[in-house]
Amino acid sequence: MAGVDRSRRKLLQTAAAGGLGAGLATSFGAVAPARAEGVEGTRAREGAEGGAEGSVRVAVLLYDGFTALDAVGPYEVLCRVPGVTVTMVAERAGRVRTDTGELGLVAERSLDSVARADVLLVPGGVERGTTATMANTVVLDWIRRIHRGSTWTTSVCTGSLILGAAGLLRGVPATTYWASRPYLADAGAIYTPGRFVEAGKILTGAGVSAGIDMGLHLAARLSDERTAQAMQLAVEYDPDPPFDTGSPEKAGPELQQLALKLIADAVR
Amino acid sequence: MAGVDRSRRKLLQTAAAGGLGAGLATSFGAVAPARAEGVEGTRAREGAEGGAEGSVRVAVLLYDGFTALDAVGPYEVLCRVPGVTVTMVAERAGRVRTDTGELGLVAERSLDSVARADVLLVPGGVERGTTATMANTVVLDWIRRIHRGSTWTTSVCTGSLILGAAGLLRGVPATTYWASRPYLADAGAIYTPGRFVEAGKILTGAGVSAGIDMGLHLAARLSDERTAQAMQLAVEYDPDPPFDTGSPEKAGPELQQLALKLIADAVR
């Protein structure tokens, strides 16, 4: 227990030593200049096990109507993995609103300033966001271009339908949001149950919060299991929901209908 | 199974009917004018069970160095509860950067434009953000003012240390981030284990991802259990992490040290 107490004290002590000054070196005040190359350089940080040389660049695609937790869940478990930098990217840099319209996240880079990334992550969204993105040829071309050079191409929730619209899921085992499972077939994908499904370099997650589970798996792939396990503790991910209705099978048809009604009402 | 298929189809159909046009009515283009009253009115939405009359206003405090998932987890499970509106509030409206500096969220309102809210939620952050906020008298005065009129005053992670600095936790059972438990005593709070701890109108969550569990509990308090259960399904929160190291007890001392090192390194 003494060891536990020491480690607790260390959190505030070690963070205090290097925190404030260095943190200020990162500027959100201006959009980064559009260098049409990788997404490195948005933040000067040396990973614990190496410098910028060994950095892994994760690009998260934001679009009008995306679901915040789809993007923020994986971000939170990946952003502290040594050598990993996570950058939010959108058609235009700046604020991008989420599906309910109540929240905005900032995209640091525009699509045309990012020509490659090691990891692509496409979050899901409600109808408005997902279908508009599935029909946006600029975004789909960018996804295909990034995918050609990626180590991992990933999605959360209905983000897999966007990967499908880009033609990346033909014959590929994949998952998606529970209510959208039938639509995977439209893209030629093979619906496969699971919190996340890995098929070659394509990794798809189930709905919204599944991005946290998928993110931990990806953290292990990008580093090692020990680091991923430390990240699970870092975000204190020891889930204990007060109910047990998180899957359509557990929730049953009535709660399914209510969930879909609440989602539809909230985009009005 | 036919019922399940119909509900899946309904997701995209019902959302399509009301989505795009109505969504555009919400403007993120300009900061809302500073009306020094409640946080209602940032979004014109009728709850499924009532209009603006019965609306519950949730104000989430953002500050430089907060942890994104602390705020976004509860947001995601509360924002679709009928009658609930969630508004991000910061000392100044506009983009607020998170603890790693890699991500920015947009605060729609400034503190001085929000004089009351039904629910206050204070997320945690790393050392830099938490301690600066604990010493910010403008923010602490605002927290105390909102608390006087709130139905619920809540925190996630080290956000409880900020509530403590505002003097709200004297003699109150509460929880916080695993590594910060000893610091609750400095505020006169009584550390109590749990994913979240309810004590009167004060509700505190454990670290980062615990905000999702706490948010579901709060959703039930603000509406009813059935609605909260539907929200759990809406975000497909059926957690299945690939590891089981989400608490300090499960992780053990070595992973605790590694987690704290990764956190400290990521704020550099």
Side-chain angles (χ1 to χ4, degrees):
Chain A
M1 289 306 287
V4 173
D5 275 341
R6 269 202 306 279
S7 74
R8 290 171 188 161
R9 294 287 167 183
K10 199 183 170 211
L11 169 71
L12 297 173
Q13 286 167 9
T14 56
L20 186 57
L24 292 173
T26 304
S27 169
F28 272 81
V31 170
R35 286 193 302 149
E37 40 189 78
V39 294
E40 74 285 301
T42 49
R43 179 157 156 262
R45 162 159 73 94
E46 273 202 338
E49 334 251 80
E53 284 294 314
S55 71
V56 175
R57 300 152 306 167
V58 179
V60 179
L61 173 69
L62 302 187
Y63 54 87
D64 185 63
F66 78 103
T67 299
L69 188 54
D70 291 22
V72 171
Y75 154 81
E76 201 70 68
V77 295
L78 290 172
C79 66
R80 292 176 181 83
V81 173
V84 169
T85 57
V86 183
T87 305
M88 303 289 156
V89 183
E91 201 165 356
R92 281 172 294 279
R95 58 177 73 181
V96 182
R97 67 174 188 161
T98 61
D99 48 10
T100 64
E102 288 186 335
L103 175 62
L105 265 69
V106 179
E108 293 299 313
R109 301 286 290 261
S110 61
L111 296 188
D112 60 11
S113 75
V114 176
R116 57 191 167 82
D118 300 297
V119 179
L120 169 64
L121 189 144
V122 179
V126 287
E127 176 73 12
R128 166 173 69 82
T130 305
T131 56
T133 306
M134 289 170 72
N136 185 326
T137 55
V138 172
V139 175
L140 297 181
D141 283 347
W142 181 82
I143 288 174
R144 283 186 284 262
R145 193 160 62 245
I146 299 297
H147 174 68
R148 279 197 292 275
S150 76
T151 309
W152 293 96
T153 295
T154 75
S155 65
V156 177
C157 200
T158 55
S160 57
L161 302 184
I162 297 172
L163 294 184
L168 306 185
L169 296 189
R170 281 187 284 266
V172 176
T175 190
T176 190
Y177 190 55
W178 63 269
S180 300
R181 292 172 188 167
Y183 296 93
L184 273 177
D186 298 346
I190 302 153
Y191 168 68
T192 306
R195 285 298 274 177
F196 50 83
V197 174
E198 184 183 316
K201 76 174 187 178
I202 292 184
L203 179 62
T204 52
V208 193
S209 62
I212 302 173
D213 296 328
M214 188 189 85
L216 289 169
H217 176 76
L218 185 56
R221 292 295 200 198
L222 296 176
S223 56
D224 53 66
E225 287 207 353
R226 198 166 151 267
T227 300
Q229 288 167 344
M231 281 314 307
Q232 183 177 4
L233 177 61
V235 299
E236 206 164 338
Y237 186 45
D238 187 27
D240 187 14
F243 314 108
D244 190 19
T245 57
S247 75
E249 295 76 16
K250 290 175 178 173
E254 278 186 34
L255 281 177
Q256 290 172 29
Q257 294 296 336
L258 179 57
L260 296 177
K261 174 173 165 33
L262 296 178
I263 292 168
D265 287 346
V267 292
R268 277 195 195 124
Chain B
M1 289 304 288
V4 173
D5 275 340
R6 269 201 305 280
S7 74
R8 289 171 188 161
R9 294 288 167 182
K10 200 184 170 209
L11 169 70
L12 297 172
Q13 286 165 10
T14 55
L20 186 55
L24 291 173
T26 304
S27 168
F28 272 82
V31 170
R35 285 191 304 149
E37 40 189 78
V39 295
E40 75 285 301
T42 49
R43 180 159 155 262
R45 162 158 73 93
E46 272 202 338
E49 336 251 78
E53 285 295 314
S55 71
V56 175
R57 301 150 306 165
V58 180
V60 179
L61 173 69
L62 302 187
Y63 54 86
D64 185 64
F66 78 103
T67 299
L69 187 54
D70 291 21
V72 172
Y75 154 81
E76 200 70 66
V77 296
L78 290 172
C79 66
R80 292 176 182 81
V81 173
V84 169
T85 57
V86 183
T87 305
M88 302 288 156
V89 183
E91 202 165 355
R92 281 172 293 279
R95 58 177 73 183
V96 182
R97 67 174 189 162
T98 60
D99 49 10
T100 64
E102 288 186 333
L103 175 62
L105 263 69
V106 178
E108 293 300 313
R109 301 286 289 261
S110 61
L111 296 188
D112 59 12
S113 76
V114 176
R116 55 189 168 85
D118 301 296
V119 179
L120 170 65
L121 189 144
V122 179
V126 287
E127 177 72 13
R128 166 173 68 83
T130 305
T131 57
T133 306
M134 289 169 71
N136 186 325
T137 54
V138 172
V139 175
L140 297 182
D141 283 346
W142 181 82
I143 288 173
R144 282 187 285 262
R145 193 161 61 246
I146 299 298
H147 174 69
R148 278 197 291 275
S150 75
T151 309
W152 294 96
T153 296
T154 74
S155 65
V156 177
C157 199
T158 57
S160 57
L161 303 183
I162 297 171
L163 294 185
L168 306 186
L169 296 188
R170 281 187 285 266
V172 176
T175 189
T176 191
Y177 189 55
W178 63 268
S180 300
R181 292 172 189 167
Y183 296 92
L184 273 177
D186 298 345
I190 302 153
Y191 168 67
T192 306
R195 285 296 273 177
F196 50 84
V197 175
E198 185 183 316
K201 75 174 189 179
I202 293 185
L203 179 61
T204 52
V208 194
S209 62
I212 302 174
D213 296 328
M214 188 189 83
L216 288 169
H217 175 76
L218 186 56
R221 292 294 199 198
L222 296 176
S223 55
D224 53 66
E225 287 209 352
R226 197 165 151 267
T227 299
Q229 289 167 343
M231 280 313 308
Q232 184 178 2
L233 177 60
V235 299
E236 206 164 338
Y237 187 46
D238 186 28
D240 188 14
F243 314 108
D244 190 19
T245 57
S247 75
E249 295 77 17
K250 290 174 178 173
E254 278 187 33
L255 280 177
Q256 290 173 29
Q257 293 297 336
L258 178 57
L260 297 177
K261 173 173 166 35
L262 296 179
I263 292 167
D265 287 346
V267 292
R268 283 203 186 116

